């Protein structure tokens, strides 16, 4: 019943006290919002919690949804704000954020079927550095690169979601990639 | 970056490297820029630099995020119910200690008045008054010591979004073909989100179905006062 409805129609139904309509919105956007939170926060557990909180916050404030905005933009803003809240908490325990996922990453790569132990260790180190480099980007640069790489949005979709000019999105993405390049230059990457 | 721009300005393809790296150019423009790359080291360096960063992030995503199942998101919803008389009385004991004590005293006073008014009346009426008073007067203390959540469990309903309706995951969809400057040593893993489902509903404080007042549970508070009135009315009739 809900599958044919646009996001905005589902929001209207949810405002009129039909929670299943909001369920459809969650189902449509959960993977993208989870991806956004993962890219912004770098950890599965925090991404999961942030996405959960984002959906709860969205449902709580659904009656304040502006009809002229897109539901995707609204959800993204709520999720980004939730991630920023988590980030602020992380700042007070920065060492924990940068160090405590090493073990989980190691486990992930031990289970990987390809590569020698040395390669696996190198890859683990490389991915850890990428995660840290992305995590160290300023928020406005981090969110555009996460939307591009994790959500695979087009420049125009990012511009619409963030309500920014297209040129600003491209400029931020360019700067983000350049800053990442500087941070990652010492990484052992294979150039074809 | 200013220097980079100056370099690119010389060749007339300024700012196109980003579009090229992300395959966001029209087909003819892509072909033209691709041909230009063979002759322009500045643009080739720019594409290489941007691609290296982009692919590093893509590798992180494909290794760390794509294998993750989408979590099951749950949002509790309250269904508004009219509280029964018994639920109303029992609800008093879910309130904070001071509120429940005050309510208990009030109810006990009402029962006392009821008994006094009916003193000397027929025996069956006295028995009926005692029965009416018993839930409040005789309810054991543990209900107060261990208050339950403001919303009774049977008022909370979870609405599951249909798992079967899951459409293709947009994030886990196959990547578009694009110029690869960095070779992967293993193929991308598809996301494993077969087990996920959306779940909805809410009983959060801000939800419109649960108005806030001093003790919460407005419907039950209203219900309590109504029932006390009924009790007095009943006594007067007798
Ligand atoms: Zn050029």
């Amino acid at each position: 019943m809900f599958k044919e409805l646009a996001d905005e129609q589902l929001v209207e139904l949810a405002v009129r006290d039909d929670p299943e309509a909001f369920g459809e919105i969650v189902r449509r956007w959960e993977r993208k919002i989870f991806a956004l939170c993962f890219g912004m926060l770098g950890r599965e557990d925090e991404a999961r919690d942030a996405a959960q909180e984002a959906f709860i916050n969205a449902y709580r404030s659904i009656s304040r949804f502006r009809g002229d905005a897109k539901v995707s933009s609204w959800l993204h803003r709520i999720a980004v704000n939730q991630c920023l809240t988590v980030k602020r908490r992380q700042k007070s325990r920065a060492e924990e954020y940068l160090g405590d996922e090493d073990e989980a990453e190691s486990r992930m790569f031990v289970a990987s079927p390809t590569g020698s132990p040395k390669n696996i260790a190198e890859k683990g180190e490389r991915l850890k550095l990428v995660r840290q480099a992305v995590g160290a980007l300023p928020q406005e640069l981090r969110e555009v690169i996460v939307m591009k790489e994790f959500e695979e949005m087009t420049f125009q979709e990012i511009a619409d979601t963030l309500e920014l000019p297209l040129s600003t999105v491209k400029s931020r993405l360019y700067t983000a990639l350049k800053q990442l390049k500087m941070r990652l230059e010492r990484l052992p990457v294979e150039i074809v | 970056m200013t220097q980079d721009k100056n370099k690119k300005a010389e060749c007339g393809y300024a700012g196109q490297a980003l579009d090229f790296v992300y395959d966001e150019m029209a087909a003819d423009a892509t072909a033209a820029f691709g041909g230009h790359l063979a002759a322009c080291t500045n643009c080739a360096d720019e594409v290489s630099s941007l691609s290296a960063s982009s692919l590093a992030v893509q590798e992180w995503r494909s290794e760390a995020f794509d294998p993750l199942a989408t979590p099951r998101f749950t949002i509790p919803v309250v269904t508004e119910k009219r509280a029964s008389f018994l639920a109303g009385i029992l609800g008093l004991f879910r309130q904070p200690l001071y509120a429940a004590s005050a309510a208990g005293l009030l109810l006990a006073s009402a029962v006392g008045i009821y008994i006094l008014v009916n003193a000397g009346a027929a025996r069956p009426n006295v028995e009926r008054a005692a029965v009416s008073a018993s839930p409040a007067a005789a309810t054991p203390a543990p209900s107060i010591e261990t208050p339950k959540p403001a919303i009774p469990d049977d008022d909370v309903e979870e609405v599951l979004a249909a798992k079967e309706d899951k459409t293709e995951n947009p994030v886990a969809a196959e990547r578009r073909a694009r110029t690869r400057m960095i070779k992967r040593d293993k193929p991308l893993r598809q996301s494993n989100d077969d087990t996920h489902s959306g779940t909805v509903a809410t009983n959060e404080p801000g939800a419109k179905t649960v108005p806030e007042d001093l003790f919460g549970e407005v419907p039950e508070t209203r219900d309590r006062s109504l029932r006390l009135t009924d009790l007095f009315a009943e006594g007067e009739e007798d």
Side-chain angles (χ1 to χ4, degrees), chain A residues 8 65-74 77 163:
Chain A
E8 288 69 24
F65 172 70
R66 285 172 15 232
D68 57 335
K70 286 177 74 177
V71 172
S72 55
S73 304
W74 173 65
R77 268 198 302 275
E163 296 178 347

Side-chain angles (χ1 to χ4, degrees), chain B residues 3 10 16-17 41 43 48-49 52 67 70 85 89 109 121 135 138 141 176 181 184-185 187 190 204 213 227:
Chain B
Q3 196 181 1
E10 293 167 10
Q16 294 198 22
T41 52
C43 287
S48 174
S49 166
T70 306
F85 172 63
I89 294 296
S109 304
R176 295 185 305 277
M181 304 299 286
R184 294 178 189 283
D185 56 7
Q190 293 302 308
E204 297 304 323
D213 73 345
R227 293 299 171 179

Side-chain angles (χ1 to χ4, degrees), chain B residues 172-183:
Chain B
E174 216 170 339
R175 289 175 179 276
R176 295 185 305 277
R178 68 172 69 167
T179 307
R180 295 287 180 187
M181 304 299 286
I182 296 180
K183 185 173 68 186

Side-chain angles (χ1 to χ4, degrees), chain A residues 3 15 17 19-20 22-23 27 30-32 34-35 38-39 42 44 48 51-52 55-56 59-60 108-109 112 114 123 126-127 130-131 134 148-150 152 154-155 170 173-174 177-178 180-181 184 190-192, chain B residues 1 4 8 18-19 22 24 46 49-50 53-54 56-61 63 65-66 68-71 73-75 77 159 161-162 165-166 169-171 175 181-183 185-186 191 196-198 200 202 204 208:
Chain A
K3 282 183 78 174
V15 168
D17 217 12
E20 287 187 55
F22 191 76
R27 205 154 48 80
E30 60 187 357
R31 186 72 188 176
K32 286 207 166 200
F34 181 43
F38 186 93
E44 180 189 2
R48 186 185 57 233
Q52 168 77 76
F55 282 123
I56 289 176
Y59 192 79
R60 279 179 183 172
M108 180 181 296
F109 295 112
S112 173
T114 58
K123 179 186 268 189
R126 192 165 71 235
L127 296 186
V130 174
R131 175 171 59 85
V134 172
K148 189 68 193 159
E149 301 291 1
F150 278 74
E152 294 190 328
T154 64
F155 299 143
K170 286 188 181 185
L173 192 55
Y174 181 91
L177 291 173
K178 285 289 183 180
L180 278 179
K181 180 72 169 39
L184 300 176
E190 282 180 84
I191 306 294
V192 177
Chain B
M1 185 172 167
D4 292 339
K8 281 181 289 178
L18 191 72
D19 295 339
Y22 284 112
E24 291 211 30
E46 187 79 328
S49 166
L50 297 175
S53 300
S54 170
V57 180
Q58 284 177 27
E59 185 187 29
W60 172 43
R61 184 198 117 174
E63 294 289 343
F65 176 75
D66 285 355
L68 299 178
T70 306
F73 297 116
T74 307
I75 303 169
V77 159
V159 185
D165 291 342
K166 186 171 73 65
N169 185 329
V171 174
R175 289 175 179 276
M181 304 299 286
I182 296 180
K183 185 173 68 186
D185 56 7
K186 98 189 239 304
S191 60
H196 84 275
S197 70
V200 186
T202 203
E204 297 304 323
K208 55 188 176 307

